[in-house]
Amino acid sequence: MIVVTKPDISDERIEEIVQYIERAGVQPHVSRGTDRTVIGIIGKADPSLAEHLRSMRGVEDVIKISKSYKLASRDFHPDDTVIEIKGVKIGGDELVVMGGPCAVESPEQIDEIARLVKAAGGQILRGGAFKPRTGPYSFQGIGVEGLIMMAEAGRKHGLLTITEVMTPEYVDICAEYADILQVGTRNMQNFDLLRKLGTIKTPVLLKRGFSATYDEFLNAAEYILAGGNPNVILCERGIRTFEPYTRNTLDLAAIPSLKTLSHLPIISDPSHGTGRRELVEPMAKASVAAGADGLIIEMHTDPDNSMTGDGVQSLFPDQFAALLKDLEKLAPIVGKRFD
Amino acid sequence: MIVVTKPDISDERIEEIVQYIERAGVQPHVSRGTDRTVIGIIGKADPSLAEHLRSMRGVEDVIKISKSYKLASRDFHPDDTVIEIKGVKIGGDELVVMGGPCAVESPEQIDEIARLVKAAGGQILRGGAFKPRTGPYSFQGIGVEGLIMMAEAGRKHGLLTITEVMTPEYVDICAEYADILQVGTRNMQNFDLLRKLGTIKTPVLLKRGFSATYDEFLNAAEYILAGGNPNVILCERGIRTFEPYTRNTLDLAAIPSLKTLSHLPIISDPSHGTGRRELVEPMAKASVAAGADGLIIEMHTDPDNSMTGDGVQSLFPDQFAALLKDLEKLAPIVGKRFD
Amino acid sequence: MIVVTKPDISDERIEEIVQYIERAGVQPHVSRGTDRTVIGIIGKADPSLAEHLRSMRGVEDVIKISKSYKLASRDFHPDDTVIEIKGVKIGGDELVVMGGPCAVESPEQIDEIARLVKAAGGQILRGGAFKPRTGPYSFQGIGVEGLIMMAEAGRKHGLLTITEVMTPEYVDICAEYADILQVGTRNMQNFDLLRKLGTIKTPVLLKRGFSATYDEFLNAAEYILAGGNPNVILCERGIRTFEPYTRNTLDLAAIPSLKTLSHLPIISDPSHGTGRRELVEPMAKASVAAGADGLIIEMHTDPDNSMTGDGVQSLFPDQFAALLKDLEKLAPIVGKRFD
Amino acid sequence: MIVVTKPDISDERIEEIVQYIERAGVQPHVSRGTDRTVIGIIGKADPSLAEHLRSMRGVEDVIKISKSYKLASRDFHPDDTVIEIKGVKIGGDELVVMGGPCAVESPEQIDEIARLVKAAGGQILRGGAFKPRTGPYSFQGIGVEGLIMMAEAGRKHGLLTITEVMTPEYVDICAEYADILQVGTRNMQNFDLLRKLGTIKTPVLLKRGFSATYDEFLNAAEYILAGGNPNVILCERGIRTFEPYTRNTLDLAAIPSLKTLSHLPIISDPSHGTGRRELVEPMAKASVAAGADGLIIEMHTDPDNSMTGDGVQSLFPDQFAALLKDLEKLAPIVGKRFD
């Protein structure tokens, strides 16, 4: 950690800051520059020290050199984390595809879609039973019934299942029916939910907040890891920018960046990341080329009549199958396999 | 609602869309332009209709003319909402100042700060008992004990109290001890929390999500209003932009804009909105000049040693008192009073 | 174009607006909805009509249905534009790679780099003679001399050349020495420069402004096209967002989006788009997978000592060569060839 | 300047970096922390050193402590700069109001508006003769004729004049007719234009680029100052964010922030900063409350028929006069006078 002082600071005040640092049990090293004095800090400081120092009179800035997350950092865990669920490995050399509708609507719908996902080569069935919606008057999902329908369809067609959990009370029941629990973009900093997910072992797909930095994203993962659940899968799903054409701006540089910063697997969501059906295929391929460990893609047999209206970004089954065919050829070029 | 079709759409597909709209119980009006055909829709449509139409083949865009929130909209509630709590009126011609520390730390601390807030002319004591923190290793607040300490200090000094509630289970106990419940920026779209807050009558100060549009902000308010709690106070607290100098960019145009769109009171938070002590005073004044109904400001007797490290943006007591003195003169110029 | 009126507009005011539209030589169609009246406009309106209508009393919004750019739009030019320069075709099925240093530094430097670009399979040599710099005290390029050195190196090694032009007066001399002229991100809306480039026939690589929307980007291209120069190549080079880890956020969805909206070729710049050497390779591959017609990549033989300090994002020659080898395999999967 | 090395750097590489720094004529101070080694640099380094170091192998980050701008910095110029033009002082205790149309349209128009600006108490007449426009088919201003009309109207009514200059060739003629030259937001980094403005003495109002940081803004000012023109006035005019309701987000915290970082005067533009007429008055007041030295406001006698369509944000003359009346009362509260 480095403390940058204001240009007009007095020697007395520097001395007070130095003593404050020493009382915190770490070592200050003062360097006097032409414009400013900086105080380097050596040793394992309490995370709040930076914040305290920043608020002290005479301090212009505090620059953290060490990262605030530890368990999520590659610094202390150089090897890739590979999460294995019933034979499917996420984070290794296997490319993983999660496909399905935005929302589970009926047993027939989810069964038919599961069949199509499996036939195309996907390994995991996605589908929402509880839906976060911007306005209170929109369709909010069919609830626990949807969980059961999806679990049934997954079992029948030999697919793992993933579903979104929105609140701590529903974590246990969702974990009973689904193989992976998804935390949505608006809940990335719902700390109570993260803490609850840290108490179980079910793998969690954590979506990046639509305005979260990589640092905040990895700190959110750290909440789950610190609670005792090592099975966290990161998911880039687009960030909010000034561009109105796409619903979000899919930040694909997040994939190799997070691979550098962390050992956790990372999945890309080109459906929510663009909000436009015609962009899903090119951005899915680009995600894999950028090094993603997998994809989560919306597919619907009848997008015109989807209950959430998210049909606008859902692939038709034939588009989904064609995309997965292309991925077979693309994956080996970037060191993955998909077959 | 207006449906814009793609340039190459066939007459048959237009006819199918028209029939789809008629089946939804509303009236389509087709206008053929030089480049594109547009279909205007008249009548009260279900909110999901826009989403369905947008996902239909041949549709380029769907433009909503009516707003998705109703109870929060000034269209249907032209008069300002004024929320009265034990004689303090929020949203009328009285300027309201909420002051206090980021976190409640001890009975002595909160008592002393309450005394100073009251002496300076503030009406409401703020203080956090539960703190949302980016990383799991930071100080998370002292919990229910803090609620009790703050309630005691408020009662003793004749101040209302406001505190943040982070999760549905804590709504009832927080409402027992505090006069106003605050929803933090990261929880603006924690829909379960919003729904729970809709079931009580305690006023809610809803902070704008740091990347939420005005439309999303008013939709979040709509969740609470639709649940049956009419006492919602909006709070602008800065948005995330590319500028690194300030912690957030305080969007003061939100104040007159939200006043145009909605009848709800609106408060400004120049402390979190800037993250720098020296900017709090000018931005507090600017907020009032822009038409804010009140301010929420961090003040601490010993910012160097605040437990959250948010001391960097806390005013010293004398700065707080001097600011409130200036507000007495400023308020009347914009049609408010503060005395 | 559609005019949305305010909820409280009088019938008289609607009539005035209708008459105003008729005087502009186009046809108004009035539809009265439940909340608002909308007026559709049919016919070729002057581009300023929307702006005038938006400023009229009683008007809430004006929504443009037709696009403000015409020559850049795919609506009126369904086939891809392919620009051929001395046998190299940009925008067709050939993948084009532009490589070279940020700045031309000496005849030896540019000659050696040209040799390496050619050996790796690149077709075009990039290098700056005039450098736009944020601060006045940074190295500003070596000027016309650099142009001559680069032209010489390109000729010797059988490469086309591209260089940045920053001001209208230098367009002619740059066009004398380089095969393609580049407009930098800060100059995307330097309208005088765009107009000057419209008067020549030399191909122009137009970089997206780091905060420009697709619509603004295509309007900037329209300036050049409308002047009479049909040879415009678009270039996505990253946008400014809240994320501090990467210098910019490379918006790869821009590639398929701009392909939908326009017929112009589009190139990706993963070097400036990320600002980090280790991200260039994955993002270059992702760009090709997303459908880019080519890449522009910084490569330097001695990045530690580059004169601009942009070495941080420059590939070493062996990294450059290895990337191009991989592109040979990747290109065919997305319908391109690179050999 | 501080160099942060990568966790896995070898002692040899650290030694090489240290020697590199010494060769640059400045002193390295190595501190070995638990995770990383940092090298502090003391002495006046060449601005390119940071960039070079950042690109060196083994370096994770380089943090600049000193600012890259010098003449614009308050560090070396503690007193406020006050620019006096024919008796009007900008940057002192006088509040300055610049009013007028977006574009000069005719002698009668500009004469009538000048009369109204003067009557309301404004000191400076604004009006565009050359207009930067997003698309090539929009009205581009009436050119030199407009300059002459505005100069004439200013002289007749005793107002200073300000107009935008878009290209270096027009600097001299604009300076002949106008008292202040304005650099528009899209030209903030048109370095040729900035350099040309550095060679004259006419005051320059430099608008912040709509996506420029404070640091980039002050570096742009530095170009003009370094050229020899000390008369630079900063102007906050709104930045681009994700919020679609306002055209820009007026960043009022820029006012006290830039006052801290720099000694230059700062003006606010609530017209372009919001793009909505009804927001101009509250945001003008908020700007003054935040500490602005003045305002630049669009006013038009017939906004419905303005030639640029920017009428949507132009005040009517009576609104303009009422606002200036209120400013008389507001200014003294923040230590300014306006009379």
Side-chain angles (χ1 to χ4, degrees):
Chain A
M1 196 175 347
I2 288 158
V3 178
V4 182
T5 63
K6 295 204 168 160
D8 55 359
I9 192 169
S10 68
D11 287 356
E12 289 70 36
R13 185 61 182 163
I14 290 177
E15 190 49 35
E16 286 168 27
I17 296 171
V18 161
Q19 289 174 9
Y20 185 92
I21 292 167
E22 287 171 345
R23 283 199 303 275
V26 284
Q27 278 180 274
H29 282 212
V30 178
S31 306
R32 286 168 200 275
T34 41
D35 294 353
R36 278 168 176 73
T37 293
V38 301
I39 308 170
I41 294 177
I42 292 173
K44 273 269 162 278
D46 188 89
S48 66
L49 181 62
E51 298 163 352
H52 282 138
L53 286 167
R54 190 173 283 125
S55 71
M56 291 181 80
R57 197 166 33 79
V59 172
E60 185 164 289
D61 204 0
V62 175
I63 299 157
K64 293 192 206 176
I65 306 298
S66 298
K67 302 189 181 78
S68 49
Y69 50 88
K70 300 287 170 198
L71 300 173
S73 170
R74 196 178 277 278
D75 284 359
F76 307 102
H77 188 309
D79 294 331
D80 286 346
T81 283
V82 180
I83 298 172
E84 180 167 356
I85 317 167
K86 301 178 185 167
V88 176
K89 289 181 184 166
I90 305 176
D93 64 353
E94 184 178 354
L95 185 73
V96 177
V97 177
M98 311 177 178
C102 181
V104 179
E105 299 174 11
S106 70
E108 295 72 27
Q109 175 236 25
I110 193 70
D111 179 77
E112 172 64 3
I113 292 177
R115 191 183 65 74
L116 291 161
V117 169
K118 184 69 181 182
Q123 302 98 321
I124 304 177
L125 178 65
R126 60 150 291 158
F130 304 95
K131 302 300 305 170
R133 305 306 301 269
T134 299
Y137 310 123
S138 298
F139 171 64
Q140 313 267 334
I142 61 172
V144 176
E145 263 188 290
L147 287 180
I148 301 173
M149 291 174 197
M150 189 166 63
E152 177 58 30
R155 200 163 30 234
K156 176 168 161 196
H157 296 284
L159 294 169
L160 300 184
T161 57
I162 177 171
T163 201
E164 179 164 350
V165 59
M166 287 172 61
T167 182
E169 303 92 81
Y170 282 88
V171 164
D172 291 328
I173 190 155
C174 287
E176 202 181 316
Y177 287 105
D179 298 300
I180 307 174
L181 300 185
Q182 175 181 320
V183 176
T185 189
R186 295 178 188 79
N187 276 323
M188 191 202 82
Q189 294 193 317
N190 184 333
F191 300 118
D192 262 43
L193 179 59
L194 300 180
R195 263 188 289 258
K196 172 70 186 171
L197 290 165
T199 66
I200 61 172
K201 295 289 179 211
T202 307
V204 176
L205 182 128
L206 178 66
K207 289 201 162 183
R208 180 181 180 190
F210 60 70
S211 286
T213 61
Y214 302 160
D215 191 78
E216 290 167 338
F217 190 14
L218 292 172
N219 265 295
E222 189 82 3
Y223 265 93
I224 303 173
L225 298 169
N229 185 348
N231 301 312
V232 176
I233 303 159
L234 304 173
C235 179
E236 163 63 30
R237 48 77 68 206
I239 57 172
R240 179 160 283 184
T241 68
F242 57 82
E243 176 59 56
Y245 184 81
T246 45
R247 188 192 287 190
N248 295 286
T249 295
L250 190 65
D251 175 17
L252 289 189
I255 296 170
S257 299
L258 291 166
K259 285 273 175 199
T260 302
L261 296 169
S262 179
H263 52 87
L264 297 171
I266 178 153
I267 297 292
S268 175
D269 178 351
S271 304
H272 291 89
T274 62
R276 285 177 170 264
R277 182 183 298 141
E278 74 274 18
L279 300 178
V280 172
E281 180 241 315
M283 295 310 281
K285 291 179 181 171
S287 299
V288 173
D293 293 308
L295 298 166
I296 182 162
I297 295 174
E298 289 196 5
M299 185 257 274
H300 202 289
T301 46
D302 183 12
D304 276 14
N305 292 300
S306 87
M307 288 175 76
T308 58
D310 263 356
V312 64
Q313 68 205 23
S314 293
L315 293 186
F316 290 97
D318 57 335
Q319 293 175 314
F320 182 81
L323 168 61
L324 268 61
K325 243 187 166 32
D326 282 353
L327 295 182
E328 280 180 41
K329 287 172 275 174
L330 178 54
I333 293 173
V334 289
K336 293 272 178 191
R337 55 188 183 75
F338 181 68
D339 37 45
Chain B
M1 195 173 351
I2 289 159
V3 178
V4 181
T5 62
K6 296 205 166 156
D8 55 358
I9 192 169
S10 68
D11 286 356
E12 289 70 36
R13 185 62 183 164
I14 291 178
E15 189 49 36
E16 285 168 27
I17 296 171
V18 161
Q19 289 173 9
Y20 184 92
I21 293 168
E22 288 172 343
R23 282 199 304 275
V26 284
Q27 278 182 275
H29 281 213
V30 178
S31 306
R32 288 168 198 274
T34 40
D35 294 352
R36 279 168 176 72
T37 295
V38 300
I39 308 171
I41 294 177
I42 292 174
K44 273 270 163 277
D46 188 87
S48 66
L49 181 61
E51 298 164 351
H52 281 137
L53 286 166
R54 187 173 285 124
S55 71
M56 291 180 80
R57 198 165 34 78
V59 172
E60 185 163 289
D61 204 0
V62 174
I63 300 156
K64 292 193 206 176
I65 306 299
S66 298
K67 302 190 181 76
S68 48
Y69 51 89
K70 300 287 170 197
L71 299 172
S73 169
R74 197 177 276 279
D75 284 0
F76 307 102
H77 188 308
D79 294 332
D80 285 346
T81 282
V82 180
I83 297 173
E84 181 168 354
I85 317 167
K86 301 179 186 168
V88 176
K89 290 181 182 163
I90 305 175
D93 64 354
E94 184 178 354
L95 185 73
V96 176
V97 177
M98 312 177 178
C102 181
V104 179
E105 299 174 11
S106 70
E108 295 73 29
Q109 175 236 27
I110 194 69
D111 179 76
E112 172 63 4
I113 291 177
R115 191 183 64 75
L116 291 161
V117 169
K118 183 70 181 183
Q123 302 100 320
I124 303 176
L125 179 65
R126 60 150 289 157
F130 304 95
K131 303 300 307 170
R133 305 307 300 271
T134 300
Y137 310 123
S138 298
F139 171 64
Q140 313 266 334
I142 61 172
V144 176
E145 263 188 289
L147 286 180
I148 300 174
M149 292 174 198
M150 189 166 64
E152 178 58 31
R155 198 162 34 232
K156 177 168 159 195
H157 296 284
L159 293 168
L160 300 183
T161 58
I162 176 170
T163 202
E164 178 162 352
V165 60
M166 286 172 62
T167 182
E169 303 91 81
Y170 280 88
V171 164
D172 292 327
I173 190 154
C174 286
E176 201 181 316
Y177 287 104
D179 297 300
I180 307 174
L181 301 184
Q182 176 183 318
V183 176
T185 189
R186 295 178 188 78
N187 276 321
M188 193 202 83
Q189 294 192 318
N190 183 332
F191 301 118
D192 261 42
L193 180 59
L194 300 180
R195 264 187 287 257
K196 172 69 186 174
L197 290 165
T199 66
I200 60 171
K201 295 290 179 211
T202 307
V204 176
L205 182 128
L206 177 67
K207 288 201 162 182
R208 180 181 179 189
F210 61 70
S211 286
T213 62
Y214 302 161
D215 190 78
E216 290 166 339
F217 191 13
L218 292 172
N219 266 295
E222 189 83 2
Y223 264 91
I224 304 173
L225 298 169
N229 185 348
N231 301 311
V232 177
I233 302 160
L234 304 173
C235 179
E236 163 62 30
R237 51 76 67 205
I239 57 172
R240 180 158 282 183
T241 68
F242 57 83
E243 175 58 56
Y245 184 82
T246 46
R247 188 190 288 188
N248 295 286
T249 295
L250 191 64
D251 175 16
L252 289 189
I255 296 170
S257 298
L258 290 167
K259 285 272 176 200
T260 302
L261 296 169
S262 177
H263 52 88
L264 297 171
I266 177 153
I267 298 292
S268 174
D269 178 350
S271 304
H272 291 88
T274 63
R276 286 177 171 263
R277 183 184 296 139
E278 74 273 17
L279 299 178
V280 172
E281 181 240 313
M283 295 310 281
K285 291 179 180 170
S287 299
V288 173
D293 293 308
L295 298 166
I296 182 162
I297 294 174
E298 288 195 5
M299 187 257 275
H300 202 287
T301 46
D302 184 12
D304 276 14
N305 293 299
S306 86
M307 289 175 74
T308 57
D310 264 356
V312 64
Q313 68 205 21
S314 292
L315 293 186
F316 290 98
D318 57 335
Q319 294 176 314
F320 183 80
L323 169 61
L324 269 61
K325 244 188 162 33
D326 281 354
L327 294 182
E328 280 180 40
K329 288 172 276 176
L330 177 55
I333 293 172
V334 288
K336 294 272 177 189
R337 58 191 180 72
F338 182 67
D339 37 46
Chain C
M1 196 173 350
I2 289 159
V3 179
V4 181
T5 63
K6 296 205 166 156
D8 55 357
I9 192 169
S10 67
D11 288 356
E12 289 70 35
R13 186 59 183 165
I14 292 177
E15 188 50 36
E16 285 167 27
I17 295 171
V18 161
Q19 289 174 8
Y20 184 91
I21 293 168
E22 288 172 342
R23 282 199 304 275
V26 284
Q27 279 180 275
H29 282 212
V30 178
S31 307
R32 286 165 201 275
T34 41
D35 293 353
R36 280 169 175 72
T37 294
V38 300
I39 308 172
I41 294 178
I42 292 174
K44 273 269 162 280
D46 187 86
S48 66
L49 181 62
E51 298 164 350
H52 282 137
L53 287 167
R54 188 173 283 126
S55 71
M56 292 181 81
R57 198 165 33 78
V59 172
E60 186 163 288
D61 204 359
V62 174
I63 299 156
K64 292 192 207 177
I65 305 299
S66 298
K67 302 191 180 76
S68 49
Y69 50 87
K70 300 287 170 197
L71 299 172
S73 169
R74 196 178 278 278
D75 284 359
F76 307 102
H77 188 308
D79 294 332
D80 285 346
T81 283
V82 180
I83 298 173
E84 181 166 357
I85 316 167
K86 301 178 186 166
V88 176
K89 289 181 184 165
I90 306 175
D93 64 354
E94 183 177 358
L95 185 73
V96 176
V97 177
M98 311 176 179
C102 181
V104 179
E105 298 174 11
S106 70
E108 295 72 29
Q109 174 236 26
I110 195 69
D111 179 77
E112 173 63 3
I113 292 177
R115 190 183 65 76
L116 291 161
V117 168
K118 184 69 182 184
Q123 303 98 321
I124 303 177
L125 178 65
R126 60 149 291 157
F130 304 95
K131 302 299 307 170
R133 305 306 300 269
T134 300
Y137 310 123
S138 298
F139 171 63
Q140 312 267 333
I142 61 171
V144 176
E145 263 187 289
L147 287 180
I148 300 174
M149 291 174 199
M150 189 166 64
E152 178 56 32
R155 198 163 31 234
K156 178 169 160 196
H157 296 284
L159 293 169
L160 299 185
T161 58
I162 176 170
T163 202
E164 178 163 353
V165 58
M166 287 173 61
T167 182
E169 301 92 81
Y170 282 87
V171 165
D172 291 328
I173 190 154
C174 287
E176 202 180 315
Y177 287 103
D179 296 301
I180 308 175
L181 301 185
Q182 175 182 319
V183 176
T185 187
R186 295 179 188 79
N187 276 322
M188 192 202 83
Q189 293 192 318
N190 183 332
F191 300 119
D192 261 42
L193 180 59
L194 300 180
R195 265 188 287 258
K196 172 70 186 175
L197 290 165
T199 65
I200 61 171
K201 296 290 180 212
T202 306
V204 176
L205 182 129
L206 178 67
K207 288 200 162 183
R208 181 182 179 188
F210 61 71
S211 286
T213 62
Y214 303 160
D215 190 78
E216 290 167 338
F217 192 13
L218 291 172
N219 266 294
E222 188 83 4
Y223 264 91
I224 303 173
L225 298 170
N229 185 348
N231 301 311
V232 177
I233 302 159
L234 304 173
C235 179
E236 163 61 30
R237 50 77 67 204
I239 57 172
R240 179 159 282 183
T241 68
F242 57 83
E243 176 58 56
Y245 185 82
T246 46
R247 188 190 288 187
N248 296 287
T249 295
L250 191 65
D251 175 16
L252 290 188
I255 295 170
S257 298
L258 290 166
K259 285 271 176 201
T260 303
L261 295 169
S262 177
H263 52 88
L264 296 171
I266 178 153
I267 298 292
S268 174
D269 178 350
S271 304
H272 291 88
T274 63
R276 286 178 171 263
R277 182 184 298 140
E278 74 273 18
L279 300 178
V280 172
E281 180 240 313
M283 295 310 281
K285 290 179 181 170
S287 299
V288 172
D293 294 307
L295 298 166
I296 180 162
I297 294 174
E298 288 196 6
M299 186 259 275
H300 201 289
T301 45
D302 183 12
D304 277 13
N305 292 298
S306 86
M307 289 176 75
T308 58
D310 263 357
V312 65
Q313 68 205 23
S314 292
L315 293 187
F316 290 98
D318 57 335
Q319 293 175 313
F320 183 81
L323 168 61
L324 269 61
K325 249 196 156 28
D326 281 354
L327 295 182
E328 279 179 42
K329 288 172 274 175
L330 177 55
I333 293 172
V334 289
K336 294 273 179 189
R337 58 189 181 74
F338 181 67
D339 38 44
Chain D
M1 195 175 346
I2 288 157
V3 179
V4 182
T5 63
K6 296 204 167 158
D8 55 358
I9 192 169
S10 68
D11 287 355
E12 291 68 37
R13 185 61 182 164
I14 291 177
E15 190 48 36
E16 285 168 26
I17 296 171
V18 161
Q19 289 174 8
Y20 185 92
I21 293 168
E22 288 172 342
R23 283 199 303 275
V26 284
Q27 278 181 274
H29 282 211
V30 177
S31 306
R32 285 167 201 276
T34 41
D35 293 353
R36 279 170 176 71
T37 294
V38 300
I39 308 170
I41 292 177
I42 292 174
K44 273 268 162 282
D46 188 88
S48 66
L49 181 62
E51 299 163 351
H52 282 138
L53 287 167
R54 188 172 285 124
S55 71
M56 290 181 81
R57 199 165 32 79
V59 172
E60 184 163 290
D61 205 0
V62 175
I63 299 157
K64 293 191 205 176
I65 306 299
S66 299
K67 301 187 181 79
S68 50
Y69 51 87
K70 299 288 170 196
L71 300 172
S73 169
R74 196 177 277 279
D75 284 0
F76 307 102
H77 189 309
D79 294 331
D80 286 346
T81 283
V82 180
I83 298 172
E84 180 167 357
I85 316 167
K86 300 178 185 168
V88 176
K89 289 180 184 166
I90 305 176
D93 65 353
E94 184 179 355
L95 185 74
V96 176
V97 177
M98 311 175 178
C102 182
V104 179
E105 298 173 11
S106 70
E108 295 72 28
Q109 175 236 27
I110 194 69
D111 179 77
E112 173 61 3
I113 292 177
R115 191 182 66 74
L116 290 162
V117 169
K118 183 69 181 183
Q123 302 99 319
I124 303 177
L125 179 64
R126 61 149 289 158
F130 304 95
K131 302 299 306 170
R133 305 307 299 271
T134 299
Y137 310 122
S138 298
F139 171 63
Q140 312 268 333
I142 61 171
V144 177
E145 263 188 291
L147 286 181
I148 300 174
M149 290 174 198
M150 189 166 64
E152 177 58 31
R155 200 161 32 233
K156 177 168 161 197
H157 295 285
L159 293 169
L160 300 184
T161 57
I162 177 170
T163 202
E164 178 164 352
V165 58
M166 288 173 60
T167 182
E169 302 93 80
Y170 280 89
V171 164
D172 291 327
I173 191 154
C174 287
E176 200 181 318
Y177 287 105
D179 296 302
I180 307 174
L181 301 185
Q182 175 182 318
V183 176
T185 189
R186 294 180 190 79
N187 276 322
M188 193 202 82
Q189 293 192 318
N190 182 332
F191 301 117
D192 262 42
L193 179 59
L194 300 180
R195 263 189 287 259
K196 172 71 185 174
L197 290 166
T199 66
I200 61 171
K201 295 292 179 208
T202 307
V204 176
L205 182 129
L206 178 66
K207 289 200 162 183
R208 180 181 180 191
F210 60 71
S211 286
T213 61
Y214 302 161
D215 191 78
E216 290 167 337
F217 192 13
L218 291 172
N219 265 296
E222 189 82 2
Y223 264 92
I224 303 174
L225 298 169
N229 185 348
N231 301 311
V232 176
I233 303 159
L234 304 172
C235 180
E236 163 62 31
R237 50 76 68 205
I239 57 173
R240 180 160 282 183
T241 68
F242 57 82
E243 175 58 57
Y245 184 81
T246 46
R247 188 190 288 189
N248 294 287
T249 296
L250 191 65
D251 174 16
L252 289 189
I255 295 171
S257 298
L258 290 167
K259 285 273 175 199
T260 303
L261 296 169
S262 178
H263 52 88
L264 296 171
I266 177 152
I267 298 292
S268 174
D269 178 350
S271 304
H272 291 88
T274 62
R276 285 177 170 263
R277 184 182 296 140
E278 73 275 17
L279 300 178
V280 172
E281 180 241 313
M283 295 309 281
K285 291 178 181 171
S287 299
V288 172
D293 294 307
L295 298 166
I296 182 162
I297 294 173
E298 288 196 6
M299 186 258 275
H300 202 288
T301 46
D302 184 11
D304 275 15
N305 293 299
S306 87
M307 287 174 75
T308 57
D310 263 357
V312 64
Q313 68 205 22
S314 292
L315 294 186
F316 290 97
D318 56 335
Q319 293 175 314
F320 183 80
L323 168 60
L324 269 61
K325 245 189 164 31
D326 281 354
L327 295 182
E328 280 179 41
K329 288 173 276 176
L330 177 56
I333 292 172
V334 289
K336 294 272 178 189
R337 56 189 182 73
F338 182 66
D339 38 45

